[in-house]
Amino acid sequence: MYLLRKLLLPIVPVYYVVTWMRNKLYDVGVFKSTEYNFPVIAVGNLSVGGTGKTPMIEYLVRLLKEDRTLATLSRGYRRQTKGFLLANDETTVEDIGDEPFQFHSKFEDLLVCVDEDRRHGIAELRKLKSAPEIILLDDAFQHRKVKAGFYVLLTSYSKLYANDILLPTGDLREPRSGAKRADVIVVTKCPNNLDEVEKTEIIKQLNPREGQEVFFSSIDYSSVLKGQKGDMSLDLLKGRKFTLVTGIANPKPFLQYLESFKLDFKHLNFKDHHDFSESEIAMLKNEELIITTEKDYMRLSPHFKHQDNLFYLPIEVKLDRAELFNSKVKTFVNQF
């Protein structure tokens, strides 16, 4: 695959022209974007792959849910349905996808919906009797038919968009200049000991426009594993063999965290949003103890209802200068 992507390098300039021209046509108004008179916040990235959008959406939900009614709107990647769907008590992970189902499972009063067409999804949400006051768009940075009022752009510490190139050789969905549309940039999955000197160097590489703040976030892991039949302290994994199952874009930070405790485990690594087959489920059910990510747990747990060997480790985003970030978001919201 690596060699094939290198061979496709001549296509990169063509992809650049197409995506740059698309953005320019939106910028000058030839292609129309819909704006809204209520708070719409978009979280996204310039690249394919995991940059931590789900934890950031959850961060924003926790920040705003006490003051306003909220909804999340996602595409519902790899779901088995089409069109607009609002989650309810009967909704399954297959109906809306793993990440929206995670939101639905964690936040009782949150409206969670999916729609490939974000503009249509917003219109349907606003028709509801209990219409949300704030809508959070998940992975919508390139969905330019909608013009959000506030954009949070994420880029991974281990693969900054400033050091990447466009598809198909690189991982960028659009030119790096697209970052100028963001209100704030968050460098995600940073090491906890990231110092100010390195932060300054990263900001220099990202070259933000005037007034565009750059924040740094790390992953805050829980000390308690969650399972269907109860919780388990992470300390109880010491001296006990287990199987780590991941189906996310970048499992490296999770691996490094577990390895820091010198735990004894084998790692089964699947592709992002992996749909586990019946044979894979049967194989996993024979494992003595399985630890997985929260997103993977959403897909696996329906198959483990009568077993107590499946657990996930919750995570949250930890932001530097959190007060400033929170203030910027709330200042935007309070304009309406």
Side-chain angles (χ1 to χ4, degrees):
M1 180 61 73
Y2 176 78
L3 178 59
L4 176 61
R5 296 187 78 178
K6 289 293 185 184
L7 292 174
L8 292 174
L9 183 61
I11 299 176
V12 170
V14 177
Y15 190 89
Y16 179 94
V17 170
V18 171
T19 53
W20 181 88
M21 182 60 67
R22 174 181 180 270
N23 279 331
K24 181 58 67 175
L25 291 173
Y26 273 109
D27 291 340
V28 300
V30 175
F31 291 168
K32 300 300 181 184
S33 298
T34 302
E35 298 184 57
Y36 299 91
N37 60 354
F38 57 90
V40 177
I41 300 174
V43 174
N45 49 24
L46 294 186
S47 62
V48 297
T51 54
K53 293 184 294 295
T54 300
M56 178 53 69
I57 289 286
E58 292 186 359
Y59 181 96
L60 291 170
V61 171
R62 293 187 183 96
L63 176 65
L64 299 169
K65 67 184 179 70
E66 302 301 327
D67 301 323
R68 307 281 189 100
T69 56
L70 298 178
T72 62
L73 175 56
S74 311
R75 175 178 52 160
Y77 183 66
R78 301 195 73 170
R79 62 184 170 122
Q80 296 177 9
T81 57
K82 296 291 184 182
F84 177 83
L85 184 63
L86 179 66
N88 57 46
D89 292 342
E90 306 301 319
T91 300
T92 67
V93 66
E94 289 80 14
D95 293 331
I96 59 175
D98 49 17
E99 290 156 344
F101 192 76
Q102 181 172 318
F103 304 147
H104 180 56
S105 301
K106 293 179 79 167
F107 301 105
E108 183 177 355
D109 297 325
L110 179 68
L111 294 171
V112 176
C113 74
V114 291
D115 198 328
E116 299 89 341
D117 183 342
R118 307 301 202 286
R119 187 161 54 185
H120 178 261
I122 291 172
E124 291 299 306
L125 277 169
R126 295 293 285 183
K127 290 179 185 177
L128 297 175
K129 185 176 181 180
S130 56
E133 297 171 275
I134 303 172
I135 296 178
L136 305 178
L137 302 180
D138 181 21
D139 196 12
F141 201 76
Q142 285 77 36
H143 198 90
R144 299 207 59 189
K145 289 182 180 180
V146 166
K147 186 174 182 180
F150 194 89
Y151 284 93
V152 181
L153 178 65
L154 309 181
T155 184
S156 176
Y157 168 82
S158 62
K159 195 165 188 180
L160 301 172
Y161 64 75
N163 301 326
D164 203 354
I165 64 171
L166 286 166
L167 292 164
T169 300
D171 287 325
L172 294 185
R173 297 169 171 176
E174 61 172 298
R176 294 188 289 263
S177 58
K180 303 301 181 184
R181 299 197 305 274
D183 292 276
V184 297
I185 300 170
V186 181
V187 182
T188 63
K189 304 180 182 180
C190 297
N192 289 320
N193 59 352
L194 188 65
D195 60 36
E196 295 301 320
V197 173
E198 188 172 1
K199 287 180 182 179
T200 300
E201 178 57 33
I202 290 172
I203 292 171
K204 184 177 178 181
Q205 292 180 59
L206 296 179
N207 189 28
R209 60 172 169 75
E210 185 177 352
Q212 194 177 44
E213 293 283 351
V214 178
F215 297 87
F216 295 83
S217 74
S218 57
I219 299 172
D220 190 14
Y221 292 94
S222 173
S223 60
V224 177
L225 296 154
K226 300 283 186 180
Q228 290 188 128
K229 297 188 177 182
D231 300 343
M232 180 173 66
S233 171
L234 187 62
D235 289 336
L236 295 179
L237 293 180
K238 294 178 180 178
R240 185 176 180 183
K241 292 184 178 180
F242 64 91
T243 301
L244 175 65
V245 176
T246 59
I248 57 177
N250 179 19
K252 187 176 179 180
F254 193 17
L255 275 171
Q256 291 175 334
Y257 180 73
L258 294 178
E259 288 169 349
S260 70
F261 291 93
K262 302 191 184 320
L263 300 175
D264 185 8
F265 63 92
K266 67 177 179 181
H267 181 204
L268 300 179
N269 188 26
F270 298 90
K271 65 181 181 180
D272 196 16
H273 298 280
H274 179 69
D275 289 324
F276 293 92
S277 66
E278 290 184 10
S279 61
E280 288 167 343
I281 295 295
M283 177 267 292
L284 291 174
K285 284 184 174 181
N286 289 324
E287 298 292 333
E288 182 179 347
L289 176 63
I290 298 170
I291 308 300
T292 190
T293 68
E294 189 168 4
K295 187 167 77 170
D296 294 310
Y297 183 85
M298 296 300 150
R299 293 192 299 275
L300 288 170
S301 59
H303 304 284
F304 284 75
K305 289 181 179 178
H306 305 295
Q307 295 186 230
D308 59 0
N309 63 332
L310 178 68
F311 293 85
Y312 72 90
L313 187 62
I315 64 171
E316 290 186 15
V317 165
K318 184 170 65 176
L319 271 169
D320 77 329
R321 301 189 299 152
E323 288 186 4
L324 178 59
F325 179 89
N326 296 351
S327 174
K328 283 186 168 293
V329 173
K330 289 193 172 185
T331 297
F332 161 70
V333 167
N334 291 336
Q335 293 174 1
F336 298 89

